[in-house]
Structure formats: C-alpha cells, structure tokens
Amino acid sequence: MTTQRHLRHKTLPLQLLLSLESCPSSTMGKKSRVKTQKSGSGASAVVTPKEMLNLISELLQKCSSAAPSAGKEWEEYIQIRGLVEKIRKKQKGLSVVFESSREDYFSDLMSWATENGASCDGFTVTNFGTEGYGLRATRDIKAEELFLWIPRKMLMTVESAQNSVLGPLYSQDRILQAMGNVTLALHLLCERANVSSPWLPYIRSLPQEYDTPLYYQQEEVELLLATQAVQDVLSQYKNTARQYAYFYKLVQTHPAASNLPLKDTFTFDDYRWAVSSVMTRQNQIPTEDGSRVTLALIPLWDMCNHTNGLITTGYNLEDDRCECVALQDYKENEQIYIFYGTRSNAEFVIHNGFFFEDNAHDRVKIKLGVSKSERLYAMKAEVLARAGIPASCVFALHCNEPPISAQLLAFLRVFCMTEEELKDYLLGERAMNKIFTLGNSEFPVSWENEIKLWTFLEMRAALLLKTYKTTSEEDRAMLEKPDLSLHSRVAIQLRLAEKHILEKVSSSGQAKRQHFQQKLEEGALLPHYEESDIALLENTEADTKLPIILRKLEEVEEGQEIQAEEHNHLLNGEKLVYRMEADVEPVQEVQSALDSTGSSKKNGQREVAKRTEENLKEKSD
C-alpha cells in the first residue's frame, strides 16, 4: 500500500480487490447484431423456453442444496458441471459478441479516455507475450510520479448501474442490493448489449475469455484436488452457477426486468464472462457523496500487470478521480507495473487467473483450535482472549522468514502451555504484561514450551504434505512436459508452491526444535521481559518481535475465528474489502448471492460507512 507521501491531498489509497488480466489476447471488438460464439460443445439445437427453464430450475435447486458432506465436494462439482454443460450446449450460438479482435479497439479506448479527461500521454497498450496486454511507457517516468488518472465519469460502478436500465430491477431485488459485484456483472452485460453505451470503448477492450478456474476443463480442475485452493475453486463454480440460474429466472419472469437486453441472449457463458471481468478488475472507491464506498471498474488503469512493491493507486476526493503514481522509475518502452496487494498465489489463481512466480507474499492457510474437551481449555481460551486471539483460528504459513506470524507464535505458545504456565500468565506476577510477550520470538514461555510448539508445527506441516497425491519431484517432472495446457501448468505450479511452503515450515520447525533442545540441555537462562522493551519492540521491522496485541495482522483471513459452517458462499469466494492501509484485514461484507437476502441494504451501507470512517480516523491518528 502506498504511503501518504505518494498521493495528493485527500487521496484515499485503493486496495486492488480483484486485479488484472494475465491472459493472452482474445477476440472481441465491433459488435454484430447476431454472431455465433463458441459457447459449448456439439451442434446448436432448438430448445423451448419451458425446456430451458426446467434445466435452469434443476441447476438452481442443485446449487442451493445443503453443503455436501466432507469428501463429497468433487462429486457435487461433477453433477453441477454436467448440468451447466447441458445448458451451454443448448445455448450454443445465442450469445451476442463482438467481431474484431480486442486489440483493434485499443486506439478507441485511448481516444475515449483522452476525451473524458484521463491521462494518456505517458503510455500505450502493448502485448507483452506471456504476461498478456499491459501498459508500456512512451517516455521516462520517475518513481512516485503521477502518470495516470481516471475521472469518475469513466468508471462503471454500482451507482451507475442504479442509474441505468438495470435500475428498476436493482431497486426491487435484494440480491443485487446486497451483492455489488453481481450488480456490476449484470451492468456490464446490459451495457455490452447497448450500441449507444458510453462505456462501449472500454467493454470492447476487455478479453473475451479469461484464465480463471471458471474456464478450466474438468481434468484441469482435477489437478487441484488435495490442494488448499480446491475448496474455493469448487465454491467459485457452484456460486457462479447458482447466481446464473437465479438471475436467468429473474430476467425471464420479473416485471422490472422486462426492458433488460438480456431476455433472449443471457447465456451461462455471458454470465461467466461478466463475472470474470468483474472478478479480475473490481475495486472499491468512495461514492459520489463520499458517505460510503462502492464497487467500480476502472478503465485503462486495469490494463496494468502485477509485480512486487507497494500499492500506489488512490482515489482523489477533491478532483473526484482515481490516481496512480509510478511504483518505480520506468524507462521509455518498459512495461509499467502496479502492485495488486499482499495476495497468495491461490488468490491470484482463483480470482485473477495467473500464477506469480516471484510472490513475496505467498502463504498457505492452516486451521488450528484448542479442543473444547481438553481439560485446560478454559484457561487456554482465557489467555488467548487476553491476547486478542480466538480459541479456534485460521492462520497463515509463509513462504519467507519467519514462516509464522506473531499471532500464530502466540497461539502455539498458549496451545502448548502446561497448567502451571497458564496460571502464571493468568494470575502470576505481572501476568498482564507477559501477554505482550506471547508473540515475541525473543521471549519464550519456557524452553520446553518452545520445543513442543516447534515439534507440533513440524509434524503438522509433514502431515499436510502427505495429503497430496503427488510429490514435489513428480510435480516438477510434469511441468517439464511441452504439451501441458496453460491451465494445467498453473494448477501444478500452485500445487507445487503449497508444498514448498509446507516443506519449508517443516524444515524450519525441525531446526527450531533442535535449537531449543540444545538451550534446554545447556541450562541456558530464559530472557527476561522489561516494560522498557516496548519502545524497542515497536520500532523493529521483524514481524514476530511486535507485542501481539499491538500488532496489525497482514494475512488474509489470519486470526478469523472458525465458524461452525466453514464453507464460504461469497461471490466466487472473494472477500470484499476497502483498505486504507496495507495491513488492515479484509472484512467479509456479504455471505452469498442467495444467502444474504435477509440483510438489508441500509444496514450494509451503514456498516461500510462506519468501517470507512474508522479507517479514516485511524489514518489521521
């Protein structure tokens, strides 16, 4: 995330929720009235509206049923996919698409952006091969130089959707009101079908297909089985199918949808395309009145590809525009990159459609909890509560050093405490002060405690490695195959990256265990914590040296209490956030396209406004 000095006064940093394309060029350009799209397999067949509604109803019922029992998720996915393929086959040739290739319209995109007050003089759109399209500098650009701005009138937002032909349906459908990303997807489809749409130059510049798992073949998805990412991939497909079935029926039957240009041409492939367009591009910006945040698609800026660094994009409230400063110095003809955020490769693959080789923020999730049947549960839960940690959490294991966060270190220390150690942290002398040391690697509870926690972590990582159906060596051999599809390659890369992290954690755990075993055998004295250490600890950059209750967490989902129902039903599993700082945790905004009907729009807006206000106050403090 960029610091305040990077941006102009009253500019709010943007968190790139779902970032940009990495896929090769695809065709989309001038729109024809009716042009056959390759959507499905087999020959086109005449299908009656009743037959289609029956299939759609079957799909909706299947996708709305209770979550399958453990181990049955793949079976459910196969069933849902089978229904979707039946629908796609019957819809073959019904989609309205564009004729020419998308690159033919990049000049129109640049002209449209210039006419609407965007900055276009320092770059052009270029094909960078395996990275896809991106922005190429046409002059030297200095680090932190403001080189790109996009005014609000160019953005496609939930607000512009409300003021469009979609407005009447939006005002009456609580799903749209609760799910801004779904609203944007339908908004995009309606505008694509409108020959007079002001956003047509932008829509024509979008890829026709994406590399998100929604576009994977079944055998490519199967390569992700046993990975940590597979549950989110299967949920993504199920949620998308469920949303499509729901809105297909709504478009066909709701009076407020009678004027939508989707009644005759709303195919699954259309919705998959729209969802992927939004999923890979959406961001949160302030609403026009500044009272809350809304989702937006940001033309031209969303052509930038990702690299490591800091967030350097923000929203200028004074000039009412998105602004982006250069992440680094760029020479003429070099590609201009931006930083999408501290995402894992699983998040990049699922929500962006690419694997990032040099991901400094890669991580895997691990669920840990103190058993309620344990004799010392109450004492451990109380110590954890004082440190601000739930008794059951989702944590992250990192690709870099240290492999665990201060929060996970604190949890494991409490998890492995003896009754006497727990009493000391609850009732002992300066007990409350000791809570500050739980996440600090320099102040062990005891040598025995350190040995136990690192042994536990070493064994847990080793056990997780055994759940994979292939070894790292086998994965590397598969990646050598020249005929491997792009999606297969990405799936195997992701699988291998997870294993590398677990192998590193297991190795690190072994080394730490041996180190503290030696300390114990030598009779080394434990370091003593002094209150004066706080100032020193706050000024250090090492994550695990921060007092646990003073630290902001970095990992997506880390520290989130495990709910009884662990399946996420968000749109494609994505968590919607508006972050003012890089280390502020994402906040779950809605639960699902079909599970959130009970929450009112007003309450949701109030929560977003409240969170934004708190973040702003935090920034000013």
Side-chain angles (χ1 to χ4, degrees), residues 301-568:
W301 169 81
D302 65 7
M303 295 295 298
C304 293
N305 286 317
H306 167 80
T307 194
N308 289 318
L310 298 171
I311 297 284
T312 54
T313 301
Y315 198 87
N316 188 315
L317 293 171
E318 186 176 331
D319 293 336
D320 200 22
R321 66 187 190 184
C322 292
E323 295 184 345
C324 185
V325 300
L327 182 62
Q328 62 193 53
D329 287 343
Y330 291 108
K331 296 292 185 182
E332 183 178 355
N333 292 323
E334 287 184 340
Q335 183 175 179
I336 301 171
Y337 292 97
I338 61 175
F339 176 60
Y340 292 2
T342 57
R343 300 180 187 175
S344 67
N345 267 319
E347 291 169 313
F348 279 134
V349 170
I350 295 167
H351 307 303
N352 300 106
F354 68 87
F355 180 90
F356 187 54
E357 292 271 7
D358 188 30
N359 190 354
H361 305 282
D362 204 11
R363 55 191 178 270
V364 298
K365 293 180 288 187
I366 181 172
K367 296 177 182 179
L368 297 174
V370 182
S371 172
K372 291 185 177 180
S373 62
E374 183 184 337
R375 182 175 66 86
L376 300 176
Y377 172 80
M379 296 176 72
K380 290 183 178 181
E382 176 61 25
V383 176
L384 288 169
R386 293 184 184 187
I389 306 172
S392 295
C393 292
V394 176
F395 298 97
L397 301 174
H398 295 266
C399 66
N400 46 24
E401 287 293 341
I404 66 173
S405 67
Q407 189 193 42
L408 179 51
L409 177 61
F411 178 90
L412 290 172
R413 281 176 169 172
V414 177
F415 184 79
C416 294
M417 279 184 183
T418 64
E419 185 171 0
E420 288 303 311
E421 288 168 343
L422 288 165
K423 286 179 180 178
D424 190 37
Y425 276 75
L426 287 171
L427 304 171
E429 183 182 358
R430 299 169 66 196
M432 199 60 209
N433 287 340
K434 289 185 177 180
I435 298 295
F436 280 82
T437 69
L438 282 174
N440 191 311
S441 59
E442 294 186 355
F443 297 101
V445 172
S446 66
W447 299 131
E448 293 88 350
N449 181 269
E450 290 293 308
I451 292 169
K452 282 195 287 186
L453 78 87
W454 288 109
T455 300
F456 172 85
L457 199 62
E458 175 190 359
M459 293 178 63
R460 177 57 68 94
L463 285 172
L464 288 173
L465 279 167
K466 290 181 180 179
T467 64
Y468 293 89
K469 297 181 179 180
T470 58
T471 65
S472 295
E473 291 74 19
E474 289 171 333
D475 286 347
R476 282 190 283 268
M478 291 177 71
L479 290 174
E480 295 296 323
K481 295 180 179 179
D483 58 342
L484 203 61
S485 72
L486 172 62
H487 297 162
S488 295
R489 180 171 300 279
V490 167
I492 296 169
Q493 285 177 313
L494 179 59
R495 191 168 71 190
L496 184 58
E498 286 187 3
K499 293 174 188 175
H500 281 170
I501 292 173
L502 292 172
E503 288 165 354
K504 181 177 181 180
V505 170
S506 183
S507 176
S508 179
Q510 181 184 45
K512 292 281 189 181
R513 169 176 56 80
Q514 293 171 346
H515 169 75
F516 289 112
Q517 184 70 46
Q518 184 178 353
K519 290 281 188 182
L520 178 64
E521 293 171 355
E522 292 173 351
L525 296 176
L526 286 170
H528 289 291
Y529 166 74
E530 301 292 341
E531 287 189 46
S532 59
D533 288 331
I534 289 182
L536 171 65
L537 296 175
E538 286 180 324
N539 291 328
T540 183
E541 292 183 0
D543 174 81
T544 55
K545 293 183 180 180
L546 288 174
I548 185 63
I549 63 175
L550 298 183
R551 179 179 172 272
K552 289 180 182 177
L553 306 177
E554 292 180 358
E555 300 80 17
V556 172
E557 288 191 323
E558 178 156 11
Q560 298 295 312
E561 185 170 1
I562 298 174
Q563 304 296 322
E565 174 57 72
E566 292 181 349
H567 298 286
N568 287 323

Side-chain angles (χ1 to χ4, degrees), residues 124-137:
T124 188
V125 180
T126 300
N127 190 339
F128 289 96
T130 56
E131 289 185 87
Y133 288 99
L135 296 187
R136 176 177 60 81

Side-chain angles (χ1 to χ4, degrees), residues 127-162:
N127 190 339
F128 289 96
T130 56
E131 289 185 87
Y133 288 99
L135 296 187
R136 176 177 60 81
T138 55
R139 59 175 174 80
D140 290 352
I141 299 174
K142 295 295 184 183
E144 300 188 18
E145 177 184 340
L146 177 61
F147 74 96
L148 173 61
W149 57 86
I150 307 291
R152 181 182 294 273
K153 61 184 176 180
M154 287 178 59
L155 311 184
M156 295 187 73
T157 67
V158 173
E159 286 182 297
S160 65
Q162 290 175 255

Side-chain angles (χ1 to χ4, degrees), residues 18 179 181-182 185 212 214 231-243 271-272 274-280 282 347 350-351 568-575 591-593:
L18 302 164
M179 299 288 292
N181 38 15
V182 173
T212 63
L214 290 177
Q231 181 59 59
D232 287 338
V233 169
L234 302 185
S235 294
Q236 179 188 67
Y237 193 90
K238 179 179 180 179
N239 292 335
T240 302
R242 176 174 54 179
Q243 292 156 18
Y271 190 67
R272 178 176 63 172
V275 163
S276 293
S277 296
V278 171
M279 184 167 58
T280 56
Q282 69 178 352
E347 291 169 313
I350 295 167
H351 307 303
N568 287 323
H569 296 302
L570 305 174
L571 172 67
N572 307 317
E574 181 63 20
K575 293 166 181 57
Q591 295 222 335
S592 114

Side-chain angles (χ1 to χ4, degrees), residues 219-232:
E219 59 270 20
E220 293 169 337
V221 178
E222 198 166 1
L223 292 171
L224 291 170
L225 287 177
T227 68
Q228 293 205 350
V230 71
Q231 181 59 59
D232 287 338

